Amino acid sequence: MSSQLQHIADIITKAAGWKDAAPEADGVFRFSLEGGLDFSLLTPENRTAVLLADLGPAPDLASPQGSEDLRRIASLCAASLKKRNSTVALAEGRVELQRSFPMAQYGELDVRLAVRDFLNDVAWWQKQLNGDSVQGSSFTSTSPFSFSFGDWFNG
């Protein structure tokens, strides 16, 4: 386990007012927030931190509805590219949201902002995939998911 990854996890727990976190046996830190906002923090090669959230099962491409759902997800991905740093991926039958950043180049404020933005993205995608889509498919400054630090973290 990377000491840099532990440092990033410590920044998250300190900002949230939680007790210190420890990685699980696989080296992954897992966090759960109210409202079903669960995410993981990991590093594949000890240089890059990855924030990862499971958004649910991938569409069943064998059905017409599944194909339509995948087209909708792709459209939402394209619409969000200019405004978001999180990426949607299909992995092992699941839809995942991920964001990565270089551990050595991110200070405390950078980590807090990255996690805050990632959680906003998770909430937005959960809303989209649950069929409660926000008016329009692009991210706007009037999005109901423009959380502040106080919503997720103290201070």
Side-chain angles (χ1 to χ4, degrees):
M1 195 260 324
S2 164
S3 64
Q4 286 181 308
L5 191 65
Q6 180 68 58
H7 176 68
I8 290 170
D10 292 344
I11 290 170
I12 293 168
T13 57
K14 177 183 168 194
W18 301 331
K19 65 178 183 169
D20 291 341
E24 294 186 6
D26 59 1
V28 176
F29 291 87
R30 289 183 176 79
F31 301 95
S32 291
L33 291 105
E34 293 178 10
L37 294 177
D38 301 336
F39 70 101
S40 300
L41 171 67
L42 59 120
T43 182
E45 43 33 340
N46 292 321
R47 289 188 309 259
T48 305
V50 177
L51 299 169
L52 181 66
D54 185 317
L55 297 175
D60 177 10
L61 298 180
S63 73
Q65 182 60 46
S67 294
E68 183 58 35
D69 289 345
L70 186 60
R71 277 197 252 338
R72 182 171 175 270
I73 291 170
S75 175
L76 290 168
C77 287
S80 69
L81 283 174
K82 289 185 179 180
K83 299 205 180 212
R84 296 293 170 198
N85 291 318
S86 301
T87 305
V88 171
L90 300 178
E92 299 179 15
R94 307 293 295 171
V95 179
E96 296 179 342
L97 189 68
Q98 51 189 296
R99 179 177 179 160
S100 61
F101 55 89
M103 291 192 293
Q105 297 172 8
Y106 267 50
E108 183 173 340
L109 180 60
D110 299 315
V111 169
R112 289 175 61 160
L113 291 172
V115 173
R116 183 204 62 191
D117 290 347
F118 181 72
L119 290 172
N120 285 330
D121 292 350
V122 172
W124 190 86
W125 275 102
Q126 285 178 341
K127 185 119 174 132
Q128 298 305 306
L129 296 177
N130 289 329
D132 304 325
S133 61
V134 176
Q135 291 296 342
S137 62
S138 63
F139 292 89
T140 66
S141 61
T142 60
S143 167
F145 302 108
S146 297
F147 299 121
S148 67
F149 277 120
D151 292 327
W152 300 117
F153 303 114
N154 297 330

